Amino acid sequence: MRLLPGLLGLAALAAPSLACAAEAPKGLILESRLRHETVSQDGFSKDAQAVTLRTRLGYETPAFHGFKALVEGENVTALSDRYNSSTNGKTAYPLVTDPETTELNRAQVSWTGTQGEAVIGRQRLILANARFVGNVGFRQNEQTFDAVKLVYRPSPKVSVTYAYIDKVHRIFGEDHPQGNWRSDSHLAQVDAKTGLGQVSAYGYLLDFANAPTQSSATWGARLTGARPLKAGLSATYEAEYARQTDYRNSPTSFDLDYIALSAGLKTKTNAVALGFEQLDGDGRRGFSTPLATLHAYQGWADVFLTTPANGVRDLSLTGSSVLKGPRGKPVKIQAALHQFDESGGGAGLGQELDASISMPLTPKIGAELKAAAFQGDRPAFPDRTKIWLTLEFKL
């Protein structure tokens, strides 16, 4: 990690100016994230060394009779580009999907009333736990949508969300042939707080003119909840099932299942959970989640961003703890173990160990060190190790 001293030096130089930005006018949006990502992967003679700086600058107007307008630009600059960004042609290096780009990230008008809200324009969409629809916030170039979103809350415990997506601006950027998807997609979701926990029912009808193989219809339901066992200790649980079929522009027919189960324990500062997630495959394709925040699922090494044709089963053990760090600042530690197999209990695909530690340095600047090590059980899924050092500022 020869670039680490330079990375820390650049952060030190940037910190005073970032601190001054704390006095900026209300409504100003200013974010910056500096990251050093290292990737060692079997099959590549060179390790990827990506040092990238992501900056967002924008403004949101004050509310006027419930209406607001927001505009935000985003720039990603490579300070060291010894990596394959998916658009720079450096295929001798492993992939780090943080291409250089400058683009309009969000441009929206919103209205908020007593029982709901509406947003039109280029916007951030995150539904439920982002397993099916998210902004891919971990990557430097955020995924946003040209869309209309309507939310209606008939009661404090129930909300109904509908969104129509006209275009998807993906993390690959404008220069990538699949950087934008032309969409005619409909999303519907009902969320309710019940005695059992949070219940969500959804239907996601995805149709992409220039990515027809990603078109699908997914219908499902999710339950999440917790039950106190004794003072300071609770049991947690999650259960989700979905059915996915071909839709509109899809060139093939398919009928696939998704299931996720989790059970765990948590206190105010600690949590542990055993999880099971399975995305089916029929030998031709796997259950797909093309709009998801994929990095958050099935291991941080991002081996299974596309579900294998025979599906994937992920058995995981995750844990987290919040400790007191220097000057009483909270230090969060996370770790996870994954065992990957083909869906239905088929052949093994690999194992992965993930770990991270993060803490705030100031009220507006945070740091994170994160690593993922994947060991594959077959040549199609080669071993790889990834390490990230991130400094992030938010106004």
Side-chain angles (χ1 to χ4, degrees), residues 25-54:
K26 185 177 180 180
L28 182 67
I29 300 168
L30 177 59
E31 300 178 10
S32 187
R33 184 164 68 188
L34 186 63
R35 175 180 287 156
H36 183 188
E37 180 170 347
T38 301
V39 182
S40 300
Q41 183 172 326
D42 284 0
F44 291 90
S45 59
K46 301 178 179 180
D47 291 349
Q49 300 282 350
V51 180
T52 55
L53 177 65
R54 194 274 313 283

Side-chain angles (χ1 to χ4, degrees), residues 101-371:
T101 185
T102 300
E103 60 185 51
L104 182 65
N105 194 50
R106 291 188 290 167
Q108 65 184 53
V109 175
S110 63
W111 172 83
T112 302
T114 56
Q115 286 189 285
E117 61 190 63
V119 185
I120 183 169
R122 188 167 300 179
Q123 60 187 279
R124 181 180 293 142
L125 281 178
I126 303 174
L127 297 184
N129 59 348
R131 187 62 183 95
F132 291 92
V133 181
N135 66 325
V136 198
F138 177 77
R139 299 268 41 122
Q140 295 286 58
N141 182 25
E142 181 180 30
Q143 176 171 271
T144 56
F145 305 83
D146 291 351
V148 177
K149 184 181 76 171
L150 306 173
V151 179
Y152 172 56
R153 299 183 181 92
S155 75
K157 294 185 176 182
V158 177
S159 66
V160 181
T161 302
Y162 167 79
Y164 173 78
I165 300 174
D166 179 68
K167 184 177 285 187
V168 184
H169 300 271
R170 307 179 71 221
I171 63 172
F172 303 102
E174 303 289 337
D175 295 333
H176 194 282
Q178 289 290 299
N180 292 317
W181 281 351
R182 299 191 304 275
S183 172
D184 184 14
S185 301
H186 303 265
L187 314 176
Q189 182 166 305
V190 178
D191 298 293
K193 295 178 182 179
T194 73
L196 292 175
Q198 178 82 14
V199 176
S200 300
Y202 52 83
Y204 305 140
L205 308 179
L206 307 182
D207 186 29
F208 306 111
N210 58 329
T213 60
Q214 300 301 317
S215 299
S216 65
T218 303
W219 301 90
R222 182 170 185 260
L223 169 68
T224 63
R227 283 288 183 272
L229 299 178
K230 62 178 184 179
L233 179 65
S234 297
T236 61
Y237 51 88
E238 298 182 11
E240 184 169 4
Y241 172 79
R243 189 78 165 173
Q244 185 173 90
T245 60
D246 51 287
Y247 179 70
R248 298 281 294 273
N249 275 318
S250 175
T252 60
S253 60
F254 53 89
D255 197 344
L256 302 168
D257 292 327
Y258 169 87
I259 186 169
L261 301 169
S262 176
L265 297 170
K266 72 172 183 179
T267 66
K268 185 178 180 180
T269 57
N270 303 290
V272 63
L274 182 64
F276 172 91
E277 184 182 49
Q278 181 168 296
L279 291 82
D280 279 353
D282 59 9
R284 297 174 302 153
R285 65 170 289 151
F287 190 107
S288 67
T289 58
L291 301 185
T293 297
L294 292 168
H295 179 77
Y297 297 92
Q298 298 183 332
W300 297 337
D302 290 338
V303 178
F304 302 103
L305 297 180
T306 299
T307 304
N310 290 323
V312 59
R313 172 182 291 180
D314 176 14
L315 183 63
S316 64
L317 178 64
T318 60
S320 65
S321 182
V322 179
L323 309 175
K324 281 189 177 181
R327 299 180 182 179
K329 291 184 171 65
V331 177
K332 186 174 183 179
I333 299 173
Q334 294 178 280
L337 286 169
H338 296 267
Q339 171 63 48
F340 300 106
D341 301 288
E342 290 184 345
S343 63
L349 301 179
Q351 306 81 39
E352 183 169 326
L353 172 62
D354 300 329
S356 73
I357 180 170
S358 60
M359 67 173 293
L361 302 180
T362 73
K364 293 180 174 60
I365 300 176
E368 181 182 56
L369 177 62
K370 180 174 174 176

Side-chain angles (χ1 to χ4, degrees), residues 379-393:
F381 305 103
D383 296 356
R384 67 200 71 184
T385 301
K386 299 186 178 184
I387 301 173
W388 301 269
L389 175 61
T390 303
L391 294 172
E392 185 166 15
F393 166 84

